[in-house]
Amino acid sequence: MADLIEKELSVFTNPEEVMIFFSAHGVPLTYVKDAGDPYRDQMEDCIALIMEELKSRGTLNDHTLAYQSRVGPVQWLKPYTDEVLVELGQKGVKSLLAVPVSFVSEHIETLEEIDMEYRELALESGIENWGRVPALGCTSSFISDLADAVVEALPSASAMVTRKVKDTDSDMDMMHYLTKMFFGSVLAFFLLLSLRLVSAFRNTLH
């Protein structure tokens, strides 16, 4: 995410003046308060790590977090993206870079909600320069991180060795089964073929 943010910041005339605006998908507040969903804490921790990485590279921009895509009458996680955009415009923010922090791929909530609806609202609210970081998608560093996560989640080495031995035995059984199936299929083929030949021969006699 830090790589993608840096790249998009470089497009602005004055990158150091850009507000980095993290917009995460919201959830009903009861999920967090009553059900104990760690989503909000995870988002805040994630953004803190991103900003820490950017700071280590010399990027010291201000940032904020808001939540989008709420539906229905119940209260969702606040602050809401649309309300914060208006507030930032009123405070005099002129350049803003939207970051879809909790969206792995591009879809209607990035391409339509952020790129169209929120962009229009931001410009109407006084923000003059708008940019948007793409979703992670197939970014190589992201895919590598996913691969590392899979490796870390694998069983211990000893369990893997035991499984390998079992898999070897299983492979031997499978090979034996496939060999039998192959020769059985060949035999069945010739039997059917011979029956057809006998039948054809009889027909010619009649």
Side-chain angles (χ1 to χ4, degrees):
M1 287 300 297
D3 291 341
L4 295 174
I5 290 171
E6 274 193 324
K7 181 179 179 180
E8 295 303 320
L9 280 175
S10 67
V11 177
F12 289 85
T13 304
N14 298 303
E16 69 281 354
E17 297 179 0
V18 178
M19 168 70 73
I20 300 176
F21 183 84
F22 292 97
S23 187
H25 197 294
V27 295
L29 187 60
T30 54
Y31 286 18
V32 176
K33 282 193 170 183
D34 300 335
D37 193 322
Y39 177 71
R40 179 169 58 187
D41 291 339
Q42 290 171 342
M43 282 297 99
E44 293 175 355
D45 290 344
C46 179
I47 291 167
L49 289 170
I50 293 171
M51 294 309 300
E52 182 180 329
E53 174 64 23
L54 287 171
K55 185 177 180 181
S56 71
R57 303 181 186 186
T59 299
L60 306 175
N61 296 58
D62 291 332
H63 74 281
T64 190
L65 165 66
Y67 296 92
Q68 67 177 80
S69 306
R70 73 184 187 277
V71 293
V74 300
Q75 185 174 348
W76 283 44
L77 285 180
K78 289 186 175 183
Y80 299 140
T81 293
D82 52 356
E83 294 179 356
V84 175
L85 286 173
V86 174
E87 292 173 3
L88 291 175
Q90 293 173 345
K91 291 178 180 178
V93 172
K94 296 302 180 184
S95 299
L96 184 143
L97 179 62
V99 183
V101 66
S102 63
F103 302 97
V104 175
S105 61
E106 302 291 354
H107 56 296
I108 191 170
E109 288 165 323
T110 59
L111 300 174
E112 197 273 339
E113 193 170 7
I114 294 178
D115 288 353
M116 297 172 67
E117 294 179 20
Y118 291 148
R119 179 179 182 275
E120 182 179 355
L121 177 61
L123 296 177
E124 290 176 351
S125 300
I127 295 170
E128 299 174 357
N129 305 303
W130 169 275
R132 205 264 282 178
V133 172
L136 290 166
C138 293
T139 305
S140 59
S141 56
F142 175 58
I143 300 303
S144 295
D145 283 344
L146 289 180
D148 290 342
V150 171
V151 172
E152 291 170 6
L154 289 174
S156 64
S158 59
M160 290 177 67
V161 171
T162 302
R163 181 177 178 182
K164 186 175 181 180
V165 173
K166 292 181 178 179
D167 288 345
T168 301
D169 294 338
S170 177
D171 290 342
M172 292 293 290
D173 292 338
M174 180 59 69
M175 183 61 67
H176 182 63
Y177 170 76
L178 291 175
T179 302
K180 289 172 62 178
M181 287 292 294
F182 172 75
F183 286 109
S185 298
V186 171
L187 179 60
F189 171 76
F190 281 111
L191 284 173
L192 289 172
L193 181 61
S194 62
L195 290 173
R196 286 179 176 271
L197 289 173
V198 170
S199 177
F201 179 71
R202 286 179 175 174
N203 290 335
T204 57
L205 291 178
H206 294 299

